[in-house]
Amino acid sequence: MSNNPNNWPLWEIFIQSKRGLEHKHVGSLHAADPQMAIENARDVYTRRQEGQSIWVVPAGAISSSQPEDAAMLFDPADDKTYRHPTFYTMPEGAKYI
Amino acid sequence: MTDLTILEERFQAKIDAELKIEPKDWMPEKYRKNLIRQISQHAHSEVVGMLPEGNWITRAPSLRRKAILLAKVQDEAGHGLYLYSAAETLGTSREQTIDDLLSGKAKYSSIFNYPTLTWADIGAVGWLVDGAAIMNQVMLCRTSYGPYARAMVRICKEESFHQRQGYEIMAVLANGTPEQKEMAQDALNRWWWPSLMMFGPTDANSPHSAESMKWKIKRQSNDELRQIFIDRTVQQAEVIGLSVPDPALKWNEATQHYDWGTIDWSEFNNVVAGNGPCNKERMVARNKAHDEGAWVREAALAYAAKKLKRKAA
């Protein structure tokens, strides 16, 4: 990545498509400041009514897990099927459960 | 086995299992390089592709056509941006990518080195050029690199209106006055062969193909896609009463495909080498836009710094 201070920084863009739904990551763009990032995101990612709210986050502000840590982080959930409702045997004839 | 071989085998196993590769995953250097080359070329094509069409925005024959063309050209800018972002996830900087285009080091699709001489050319570009691009892009929605595939899904959703508006322009002209029909036929005559060249060299002569297929960057060969495009487009030309400029074109009952003539690859190579009708004009236009926009980029940064300082004070 270029760290040239003469370049506009990179922003990650999150769009909420409808009230009540989550903001979802759609991609990234370069802009000089947050306001410009929002305005550019409007043009780049919502030309067809894809959104009604925009979040912009400086790309450098995002920390993420590493692929090599995936097993350590996520494997422990594999053998805990009792966390799902289908794990349990319900008596025949019981309703609304 | 060396560590590298183990990593490579694991990588290929993921690809074979149809798992997407994401930016932080280990990948062979050549996979990364191939993708950077392909995605940035693709992005440059979207951006340079705005020039031949932008040529007609002020002269579109009606307000309806003008609004449509503006929306289409704006989409191409957006598509360029989606793709530049995807390329950036592979560790290249935007600045470097743009510099490579401006210096002529990076390529873009040769089709944009042809001129748009009449309004019918805008119809032909939408119908044929976008039509050919869509064939490739639909395939790329399933490409193995996650960010590229996601950008392509977004692009494909938007691209289908591009082809339809072009075909509509051609249909209207083909059903118009004899002069209008002739203009449409002339545009088809000039754009047909260059559109077929867009699929790239024949499979036998395609240097990057085997590796790209193994890594599922590409999933169908140049020749396969070209044949599907011909089969579909010839039928569409018939519907609007235009004829495809290929005397060898003939339906083949046995293969259920059209047989067709031969591409003049010397023309293709010549345009790729920089000697097409508009290569120089396109590069001058891109460099001019970049240079003349420099003060805007600087002013925006200075303004952002000033605002930040005021906020802190």
Side-chain angles (χ1 to χ4, degrees):
Chain A
M1 290 283 162
S2 157
N3 293 314
N4 185 340
N6 297 324
N7 291 330
W8 290 353
L10 187 66
W11 303 78
E12 296 298 332
I13 312 300
F14 300 78
I15 303 275
Q16 183 186 37
S17 60
K18 247 167 79 179
R19 264 175 195 287
L21 295 181
E22 70 280 45
H23 284 70
K24 212 172 149 187
H25 182 248
V26 292
S28 59
L29 52 77
H30 289 262
D33 60 36
Q35 190 54 40
M36 186 195 245
I38 290 171
E39 284 159 12
N40 288 359
R42 194 280 307 257
D43 288 341
V44 177
Y45 293 106
T46 67
R47 289 193 302 283
R48 288 171 175 78
Q49 301 160 297
E50 290 95 335
Q52 68 98 42
S53 167
I54 299 171
W55 289 351
V56 301
V57 180
I62 294 182
S63 306
S64 70
S65 64
Q66 300 300 314
E68 53 272 26
D69 296 336
M72 175 186 80
L73 290 170
F74 308 116
D75 285 1
D78 286 355
D79 58 359
K80 295 180 179 59
T81 49
Y82 48 84
R83 285 180 169 163
H84 298 279
T86 47
F87 176 78
Y88 299 90
T89 316
M90 291 294 101
E92 195 76 32
K95 288 180 180 170
Y96 307 117
I97 182 153
Chain B
M1 258 195 320
T2 65
D3 288 354
L4 188 64
T5 345
I6 296 170
L7 284 170
E8 272 170 2
E9 275 179 9
R10 273 192 209 148
F11 172 82
Q12 190 61 45
K14 263 191 221 161
I15 302 259
D16 294 342
E18 296 292 335
L19 293 173
K20 295 285 183 220
I21 304 302
E22 293 294 341
K24 285 175 185 289
D25 290 339
W26 184 89
M27 59 188 87
E29 245 347 89
K30 243 185 129 188
Y31 177 83
R32 185 185 299 275
K33 276 205 181 120
N34 251 354
L35 271 174
I36 290 174
R37 180 187 52 80
Q38 183 173 329
I39 300 174
S40 55
Q41 261 183 35
H42 196 160
H44 299 328
S45 303
E46 300 283 354
V47 170
V48 177
M50 289 192 280
L51 297 170
E53 294 192 296
N55 179 34
W56 279 90
I57 290 176
T58 56
R59 295 176 288 162
S62 68
L63 188 57
R64 176 179 182 268
R65 292 287 178 208
K66 187 172 186 160
I68 292 168
L69 189 55
L70 266 171
K72 180 180 189 299
V73 172
Q74 195 191 10
D75 272 356
E76 309 299 2
H79 297 175
L81 287 170
Y82 305 154
L83 290 162
Y84 282 132
S85 298
E88 255 180 311
T89 64
L90 290 159
T92 57
S93 73
R94 178 74 59 95
E95 187 186 24
Q96 187 61 52
T97 311
I98 303 278
D99 283 350
D100 286 349
L101 170 68
L102 298 176
S103 71
K105 190 181 158 208
K107 299 257 184 267
Y108 55 87
S109 181
S110 281
I111 193 82
F112 301 117
N113 291 318
Y114 290 87
T116 42
L117 302 176
T118 70
W119 172 249
D121 286 28
I122 297 305
V125 167
W127 175 34
L128 303 173
V129 175
D130 288 87
I134 288 169
M135 302 286 317
N136 206 25
Q137 288 168 341
V138 166
M139 165 189 80
L140 288 171
C141 289
R142 296 183 299 124
T143 194
S144 59
Y145 186 57
Y148 193 20
R150 292 193 283 276
M152 292 318 306
V153 169
R154 195 175 290 278
I155 288 175
C156 283
K157 274 190 202 154
E158 301 182 350
E159 195 87 29
S160 116
F161 113 69
H162 296 183
Q163 189 188 17
R164 291 174 64 114
Q165 64 86 36
Y167 186 53
E168 190 193 68
I169 291 174
M170 293 299 264
V172 168
L173 290 174
N175 286 303
T177 63
E179 289 82 1
Q180 285 172 326
K181 183 168 185 180
E182 202 187 310
M183 191 195 270
Q185 182 62 54
D186 170 62
L188 172 56
N189 292 348
R190 283 181 290 107
W191 287 93
W192 175 253
W193 290 103
S195 298
L196 296 189
M197 293 174 200
M198 280 178 71
F199 294 93
T202 55
D203 294 349
N205 292 315
S206 182
H208 302 290
S209 273
E211 212 152 45
S212 288
M213 295 285 258
K214 184 182 104 186
W215 285 332
K216 297 190 182 168
I217 295 175
K218 280 170 71 163
R219 320 202 49 144
Q220 280 168 296
S221 79
N222 296 354
D223 287 336
E224 272 175 74
L225 290 173
R226 187 162 22 232
Q227 185 66 53
I228 304 173
F229 174 76
I230 292 170
D231 291 345
R232 288 182 187 172
T233 311
V234 169
Q235 190 271 341
Q236 291 161 4
E238 274 167 12
V239 169
I240 57 174
L242 297 180
S243 52
V244 169
D246 179 357
L249 196 75
K250 196 167 168 256
W251 179 250
N252 184 326
E253 253 330 301
T255 61
Q256 290 291 302
H257 290 294
Y258 279 96
D259 292 335
W260 52 284
T262 322
I263 291 173
D264 177 3
W265 290 110
S266 64
E267 175 183 329
F268 176 76
N269 293 329
N270 196 37
V271 179
V272 172
N275 305 317
C278 300
N279 296 56
K280 286 194 187 71
E281 190 184 326
R282 302 295 184 233
M283 289 312 294
V284 167
R286 283 316 313 155
N287 274 288
K288 182 167 177 263
H290 189 76
D291 295 345
E292 290 180 355
W295 74 269
V296 179
R297 295 192 292 278
E298 284 161 23
L301 269 180
Y303 181 62
K306 189 170 96 180
K307 269 199 300 187
L308 205 63
K309 217 168 139 189
R310 270 201 197 141
K311 215 172 150 190

